Amino acid sequence: MNGQKPPNIAVVGAGIVGVSCALHLQRLGAAVTMIDRHEPGGIEAASYGNAGVLARCAVVPVATPGIVLKAPIMLFARDGPLFMRWSYLPQLLPWLIPYLRSSSRKRVEYIVRNLIPLLFDSVDEHRALARGTDAERWLRACAYLYLYENREAFERDAFSWRLRREHGFEWDTLQGESIREFEPALSRNYEFAVLLKDHGMIANPGNYVSDLAKGFAAAGGEVVRADIKRVGTRNDGVVLQADDHDIKVDKAVIAAGAWSHKLAAKLGANVPLESERGYHLELLHASKQPSVPVMDAARKCVITPMQGGLRLGGVIEFGGLDAPASKGPLKLLLRAAKAVLPGLEYETKRTWMGHRPTTADSLPVIGPAPSSRRVYFAYGHQHVGLTAGPKTGRVVAQHMMGLQQNFDLDAYRCDRFS
């Protein structure tokens, strides 16, 4: 630091994005305080409920060409992966209209180009982030298997697979009994599969984030439980207003997931953000499980072999931050598990619902606030937050610490919706 006092930086949010920012800033010499209403890795965070796959191939957004016609089918089909709380629709429309506009071919290609830098090397980024902490024990290298009913079903996804191929992804295809040779427990109803190598998984995402935070604290970082109501800037620093006290720092990062836009708006950022309500179902001591994460491509359901059982996730519900969990997504997840793994039995099950922050163009918000470069944003990663968290943290830390690097933040700027 050339004899200068290290900057005092607060990170608001202790999910995977927040803890990644905190660790990378700490490793670059900053004095860092990480602040959240809840414990790092706790059940309230989107990171806790993640399906656990380091899905570096998940560069294609949900909204692709034709989504306007497909969405009603997905909403009303018994096994459709999309759910809606209809009473919330009027509040959703200001976000939904630009979201659907982002599904044009040209826009999707742009989104993919700008998700690639955050996701492509995610397994290596997680290894680097976890190195030297107890979080290393949860990290696994593995393949990722997409299941289709037949080749025709796969070919209907040709647009997404073409984009992946153009950006350097490679895979093998399996047909018929070669699928069962790779994974004997899988149903014979799936006659075509795509096997993506060089992926990874986290065997317990909640514990993983918790162990990263413990590593941060052990290295001298401060973890504070507080509910930040407002972030204000001054010429000489940043003031974070909690319920009963202020926290004064030199700089701050807002990485509070689906609640980030409420703080960002007070700093001049008008970012259309919605909760992509995510669900998971855990089947404990399951009688069958695949050796690698499996995606049922039709139901958009991921089945991951976790510590102690199976975790099923992947469905989407739009219904805001306040409504209670719905039953439909959880029923779909259980049907998917039994379809993929016929004869599946288990001792008990656990359910979870949480909030994944999704912008209207499916790209995260990364970069400085409009009003002051003392505050940086790092939120809006939709369902790829676990995968993209470490790279986001590295990029934010490098920019905030004034290091020269070649990662352009233009596509992620907060004023792109103006």
Side-chain angles (χ1 to χ4, degrees):
M1 302 297 294
N2 298 322
Q4 297 180 354
K5 181 182 177 182
N8 186 357
I9 301 178
V11 177
V12 182
I16 184 59
V17 177
V19 78
S20 296
C21 291
L23 273 167
H24 280 299
L25 284 164
Q26 182 185 64
R27 290 170 183 175
L28 290 179
V32 184
T33 302
M34 186 166 58
I35 308 167
D36 201 304
R37 294 175 296 166
H38 307 293
E39 288 289 339
I43 195 170
E44 301 84 2
S47 310
Y48 175 95
N50 194 282
V53 185
L54 301 183
R56 52 189 294 268
C57 67
V59 296
V60 183
V62 172
T64 54
I67 187 67
V68 175
L69 298 176
K70 294 175 186 176
I73 298 172
M74 290 190 287
L75 276 169
F76 294 109
R78 181 174 184 267
D79 279 350
L82 181 60
F83 294 82
M84 170 75 75
R85 281 186 170 266
W86 294 104
S87 61
Y88 189 71
L89 183 58
Q91 294 170 259
L92 183 68
L93 281 174
W95 174 90
L96 183 62
I97 292 170
Y99 179 74
L100 294 174
R101 285 177 181 159
S102 294
S103 66
S104 69
R105 184 176 297 267
K106 184 176 180 180
R107 284 298 300 171
V108 169
E109 290 172 348
Y110 174 82
I111 292 165
V112 171
R113 286 198 302 273
N114 289 287
L115 284 177
I116 284 286
L118 294 173
L119 301 183
F120 193 81
D121 55 354
S122 57
V123 179
D124 288 339
E125 287 287 342
H126 272 273
R127 288 194 182 107
L129 183 72
R131 189 170 298 126
T133 75
D134 288 343
E136 288 183 289
R137 59 183 166 158
W138 307 112
L139 184 58
R140 313 272 192 275
C142 66
Y144 191 16
L145 187 68
Y146 274 67
L147 293 177
Y148 287 91
E149 183 179 345
N150 49 44
R151 175 178 279 277
E152 289 73 23
F154 165 73
E155 290 173 350
R156 287 195 290 271
D157 279 351
F159 175 70
S160 297
W161 290 108
R162 176 181 66 79
L163 287 174
R164 293 185 180 104
R165 180 83 74 188
E166 289 175 355
H167 288 280
F169 290 99
E170 298 179 352
W171 58 82
D172 296 326
T173 59
L174 304 175
Q175 299 187 59
E177 287 309 303
S178 64
I179 299 172
R180 261 64 63 186
E181 290 173 9
F182 180 77
E183 287 287 358
L186 299 180
S187 169
R188 285 183 166 78
N189 291 331
Y190 300 93
E191 287 297 312
F192 194 90
V194 177
L195 182 64
L196 293 132
K197 299 178 182 177
D198 302 320
H199 277 61
M201 61 167 285
I202 306 297
N204 189 314
N207 287 357
Y208 178 70
V209 173
S210 176
D211 282 342
L212 288 172
K214 290 174 183 175
F216 163 77
E222 185 179 7
V223 180
V224 174
R225 289 280 296 274
D227 186 5
I228 300 301
K229 303 294 187 181
R230 185 182 180 89
V231 177
T233 59
R234 305 184 308 192
N235 290 335
D236 61 344
V238 178
V239 179
L240 296 89
Q241 297 178 4
D243 286 325
D244 56 357
H245 66 289
D246 291 347
I247 300 172
K248 298 178 182 180
V249 292
D250 298 317
K251 299 179 181 181
V253 182
I254 295 178
W259 290 266
S260 297
H261 64 304
K262 296 181 179 182
L263 295 172
K266 296 171 183 176
L267 292 162
N270 182 21
V271 177
L273 189 82
E274 268 297 333
S275 165
E276 185 182 309
R277 289 157 58 99
Y279 290 78
H280 84 220
L281 175 66
E282 280 192 330
L283 305 180
L284 304 184
H285 303 289
S287 61
K288 296 182 177 183
Q289 66 177 30
S291 61
V292 301
V294 172
M295 164 73 84
D296 180 331
R299 296 179 177 89
K300 301 294 187 288
C301 172
V302 182
I303 301 176
T304 308
M306 288 270 182
Q307 180 193 37
L310 290 179
R311 178 173 292 189
L312 300 96
V315 298
I316 296 170
E317 181 186 45
F318 293 117
L321 292 170
D322 300 321
S326 303
K327 295 181 180 179
L330 296 168
K331 290 179 179 179
L332 171 60
L333 291 173
L334 187 56
R335 288 198 301 273
K338 292 182 176 180
V340 171
L341 301 167
L344 175 66
E345 297 178 355
Y346 55 92
E347 288 186 7
T348 188
K349 61 185 178 183
R350 289 196 297 240
T351 63
W352 175 90
M353 188 276 287
H355 301 281
R356 299 172 295 197
T358 301
T359 63
D361 64 0
S362 299
L363 288 173
V365 179
I366 305 172
S371 57
S372 174
R373 296 187 69 87
R374 287 185 177 274
V375 179
Y376 265 66
F377 300 142
Y379 65 91
H381 293 75
Q382 27 116 354
H383 54 275
V384 296
L386 182 67
T387 304
K391 186 62 169 285
T392 299
R394 181 187 297 276
V395 169
V396 167
Q398 289 173 341
H399 274 268
M400 293 189 78
M401 297 296 284
L403 298 184
Q404 187 175 16
Q405 36 81 50
N406 59 1
F407 197 103
D408 186 359
L409 296 181
D410 184 67
Y412 319 101
R413 69 186 191 279
C414 64
D415 63 352
R416 65 185 188 266
F417 299 100
S418 303

